[in-house]
Amino acid sequence: MKHKAFFLLIAAVLMLSGCSGKSGDSSGTITQNTPAPGETESSDTLTGIPVDTNDITPVEKQTPELTATPKPTATPRPTSTPVPTVSPVPTATPVLTEPLLTFDRERTYPDNTTQKLTQNYLYDNPAPLGSVSNFIYETRNHRNNNGKVYQKSALVYLPACYDETDTETRYNVLYLMHGGGDSPKWFLGGEGLKSKFTRMLDSMIDAGEIEPMIVCAVSYYTEYSNDATQNCIDFHYELMNDLIPVFETTYHTYAEDVTPEELAASRTHRAFGGFSMGAVTTWSVFENCLDEFAYFMPMSGDCWALGMTAGNSKAMQTAEHLASKVAQAGKNAEDFFIYCGCGTSDSANPNLTPQINAMKTLTDTFLYCENFANGNLYQCVVPGGHDINTVNQVLYNGVPKLFH
């Protein structure tokens, strides 16, 4: 019975609550309306409170107007960096056709076109025979101020017409230096002997192709130094201090005496040449003796002033070094002549030719030419190697270009 009475009381309370909601009681109690059929229920997205969607005016859905997507503005391409201009490889200086030198040459030089040495100039030659003799002189180590005196010998070629008693006739002088491992005999054969070169000289003199001349073949070997390279570079000390003062007062040369002034005055009657290491010596004489020599014949060898074989590895620096030596001596392109040569298969060709090509570009100092009336530099390249036959061919073509 007690349980039944309790359930009746609960039911009565629920009935009273339902009546209060229907009368619109404004006591603040929020009522939840059940949506009518066809209606939907939603809620405020901000408060979470249900809202009647029938009171919301639907917004007309608008299709967005399609607009053309603007093309992106092209970024200007950066200005390309100009390709550096490559300096062209210097080309050989054109052969000069008009004389560029201002002073009047005293003789007409034959063109430098290479001529082949004929065998009758060497063998069975009817030309009068010149003589070869020893010449003894004293020298010392001038670089180290060594006071000890040593004797050295050179070989001297005198033309057949040379007369010891004739003090009026004067002769040009060519000094020649041998290559490595050789001696003055390489050129002149030996005292009382003859060589291909001496017979060639006899023939050219007899044919009137060259004036009678004296040749002095010397050596860079010394008793005080075994350094062949340094001896070649230093030979100019011995040449100017010991050899020339004695030699050119012994023989009838163009030097009236051996004072610096007179040696300078007679420089156009004096030449220096050499083969291989002798060519290295020749370039050194060129650097240091321009006051006393006007003609140079380096054969099969480059200048080593900047190092061994620098004519190849430092061709332009070597050429500029030689040009600077000309300027230091107070000389210019009118004051000297270089007739160099080598063989087509010569082991020295790869060193000498680049140096000569570099020298050709320095036209303020070196004027490459086909005739010494128009310039001061020429390279004779003949068939052959690093040998005496090649040297004789170069000498045959070069000796007539010496002296004026």
Side-chain angles (χ1 to χ4, degrees):
M1 289 296 290
K2 289 181 181 180
H3 288 91
K4 186 177 181 179
F6 175 76
F7 285 116
L8 290 175
L9 177 61
I10 292 300
V13 172
L14 290 173
M15 289 179 62
L16 290 175
S17 298
C19 293
S20 173
K22 289 181 180 180
S23 63
D25 185 5
S26 59
S27 62
T29 303
I30 299 176
T31 62
Q32 179 176 351
N33 296 319
T34 302
E39 293 181 347
T40 60
E41 184 178 270
S42 182
S43 62
D44 190 314
T45 58
L46 295 178
T47 64
I49 301 173
V51 294
D52 188 348
T53 57
N54 290 326
D55 292 337
I56 300 174
T57 303
V59 179
E60 182 180 355
K61 184 176 182 180
Q62 297 179 353
T63 302
E65 182 179 353
L66 298 176
T67 57
T69 304
K71 293 182 178 181
T73 303
T75 304
R77 297 181 67 178
T79 303
S80 59
T81 303
V83 177
T85 302
V86 179
S87 300
V89 176
T91 56
T93 305
V95 174
L96 304 174
T97 56
E98 295 295 332
L100 295 182
L101 308 180
T102 59
F103 70 91
D104 184 19
R105 299 290 172 93
E106 297 180 9
R107 60 172 284 191
T108 301
Y109 291 88
D111 286 343
N112 289 326
T113 304
T114 302
Q115 303 293 329
K116 185 176 181 180
L117 174 61
T118 58
Q119 293 301 302
N120 65 324
Y121 269 38
L122 305 177
Y123 307 104
D124 300 324
N125 190 336
L129 189 67
S131 64
V132 177
S133 60
N134 277 324
F135 177 77
I136 307 299
Y137 66 101
E138 294 180 340
T139 187
R140 68 193 69 202
N141 186 350
H142 293 277
R143 176 174 284 278
N144 295 332
N145 295 318
N146 186 341
K148 186 174 181 178
V149 175
Y150 301 87
Q151 275 199 342
K152 285 188 70 172
S153 65
L155 284 176
V156 182
Y157 164 85
L158 298 177
C161 61
Y162 187 87
D163 183 353
E164 179 64 35
T165 64
D166 179 7
T167 59
E168 297 299 321
T169 304
R170 302 288 177 166
Y171 297 87
N172 299 310
V173 183
L174 168 61
Y175 294 87
L176 279 178
M177 179 70 79
H178 60 80
D182 285 303
S183 73
K185 294 179 181 180
W186 196 76
F187 285 110
L188 301 184
E191 185 170 27
L193 302 177
K194 60 184 179 181
S195 68
K196 290 182 180 180
F197 179 50
T198 63
R199 290 309 283 153
M200 181 175 67
L201 290 174
D202 294 337
S203 299
M204 290 193 289
I205 292 171
D206 188 55
E209 296 177 4
I210 62 173
E211 296 179 4
M213 61 187 296
I214 300 172
V215 177
C216 178
V218 293
S219 177
Y220 57 81
Y221 290 114
T222 68
E223 292 187 41
Y224 54 80
S225 172
N226 293 323
D227 187 338
T229 300
Q230 194 63 49
N231 287 347
C232 290
I233 294 173
D234 289 345
F235 182 77
H236 63 94
Y237 293 117
E238 179 178 318
L239 176 67
M240 296 311 306
N241 290 286
D242 303 324
L243 178 57
I244 286 180
V246 179
F247 187 85
E248 298 205 18
T249 54
T250 301
Y251 297 98
H252 305 321
T253 70
Y254 276 88
E256 295 292 340
D257 56 52
V258 290
T259 61
E261 294 78 16
E262 186 55 35
L263 291 177
S266 58
R267 62 188 295 274
T268 57
H269 300 283
R270 195 173 296 111
F272 196 100
F275 166 70
S276 194
M277 292 295 284
V280 174
T281 307
T282 304
W283 289 112
S284 179
V285 172
F286 175 84
E287 293 178 63
N288 295 281
C289 303
L290 278 166
D291 283 340
E292 297 83 18
F293 286 81
Y295 291 89
F296 304 88
M297 287 191 67
M299 295 171 286
S300 302
D302 55 316
C303 176
W304 288 4
L306 303 184
M308 189 178 297
T309 69
N312 183 347
S313 60
K314 298 179 180 178
M316 184 53 68
Q317 297 97 313
T318 298
E320 291 171 344
H321 170 78
L322 293 171
S324 72
K325 289 295 185 178
V326 174
Q328 289 173 21
K331 300 293 188 289
N332 56 44
E334 297 179 341
D335 295 324
F336 63 89
F337 306 83
I338 301 173
Y339 188 99
C340 64
C342 63
T344 53
S345 302
D346 198 325
S347 59
N349 193 341
N351 298 321
L352 177 61
T353 297
Q355 175 185 315
I356 298 303
N357 287 338
M359 292 169 68
K360 290 178 183 179
T361 67
L362 304 179
T363 54
D364 288 343
T365 305
F366 305 108
L367 299 173
Y368 198 80
C369 62
E370 290 292 346
N371 191 296
F372 276 163
N374 303 322
N376 61 13
L377 174 65
Y378 183 76
Q379 181 182 15
C380 171
V381 181
V382 298
H386 199 70
D387 53 49
I388 188 64
N389 292 327
T390 297
V391 171
N392 280 334
Q393 187 72 36
V394 173
L395 286 168
Y396 174 69
N397 284 276
V399 167
K401 314 307 189 300
L402 304 179
F403 314 120
H404 67 80

